[in-house]
Amino acid sequence: PPKKPLGDPADTILVQGGSLKTWSFASPALERLQVRLTTEGRPLDADIELWQGPDNTPCKMRVYVEDGSLRPFSAVIETPRGPNTVAIRNIGQIEFPLAAKVSAEDVDRPAADIASASMTIQGGALRTYPFDPSVESVQVMLKTDGRPLNARIELLQGPNNNKQVIELYTEDGLDRPFFAVIETPGSGNVVRVVNTAPVEFPMTASVVPNEINTDYSASGVVIGGDTGW
């Protein structure tokens, strides 16, 4: 299949392997920002940081995606109080560019019932969430009671086959909860959420379907032919 172009040139910035780009937002009225990263089908390996004033990084994450075209990365960074700067470093090799978009418009919002699906994960513990093949993407929301949030989110397809990994830190999981939409094409998708903090730092996790393909056929067989007999 033809390669998709890397994003819309009007609002997307190409970040070459090994380089850093920043997006600065002066307004303190901005409450959250949408970060989207894609590639042309190659691996995506990036560091994302939120800078708020000198030497203050209240949120940072390391993102790996096996195929940034099939599974583009999409997350929401909370930005209470300003000004804010989002820094994205492509830590992949020079031949693996990525396209990045950081925007205050069209920010993904969690499903209305996502809170009802929340579960507590103690420090050092993990939970797994298997999904039906008809689920094309899932929503992940992580929070704490105000303590720091340290977590690893993995999308697996088959035993220990990581398709996407997010290593996350936020200094206050109540003030700055984490929300992302993870693409889950194909079958055998499992989302694994690990609380990498010590045992005294529990967090709550909600992982629910986002987009469901109602036309999905479990057999994979599509029967065509003449109709209207």
Side-chain angles (χ1 to χ4, degrees), residues 108-163:
D108 289 340
R109 301 306 304 242
D113 59 347
I114 196 167
S116 63
S118 68
M119 295 180 168
T120 299
I121 304 179
Q122 300 295 336
L126 63 85
R127 285 189 183 271
T128 56
Y129 303 83
F131 284 95
D132 191 83
S134 63
V135 176
E136 297 188 338
S137 60
V138 302
Q139 297 187 7
V140 178
M141 169 78 85
L142 306 181
K143 292 182 176 181
T144 71
D145 59 2
R147 285 177 272 198
L149 173 60
N150 287 274
R152 188 170 70 251
I153 303 160
E154 302 171 351
L155 172 65
L156 301 113
Q157 208 171 24
N160 296 318
N161 185 3
N162 278 327
K163 298 298 184 183

Side-chain angles (χ1 to χ4, degrees), residues 54-109:
D55 302 321
N56 182 23
T57 309
C59 175
K60 53 187 172 183
M61 59 189 90
R62 165 83 183 267
V63 177
Y64 167 79
V65 184
E66 182 187 76
D67 180 337
S69 173
L70 188 61
R71 299 179 187 85
F73 171 79
S74 180
V76 177
I77 295 180
E78 296 289 327
T79 56
R81 303 169 296 281
N84 294 278
T85 296
V86 174
I88 298 176
R89 184 184 298 277
N90 182 347
I91 51 180
Q93 297 169 352
I94 189 78
E95 61 268 30
F96 292 163
L98 63 85
K101 179 180 178 181
V102 181
S103 170
E105 285 91 43
D106 300 323
V107 177
D108 289 340
R109 301 306 304 242

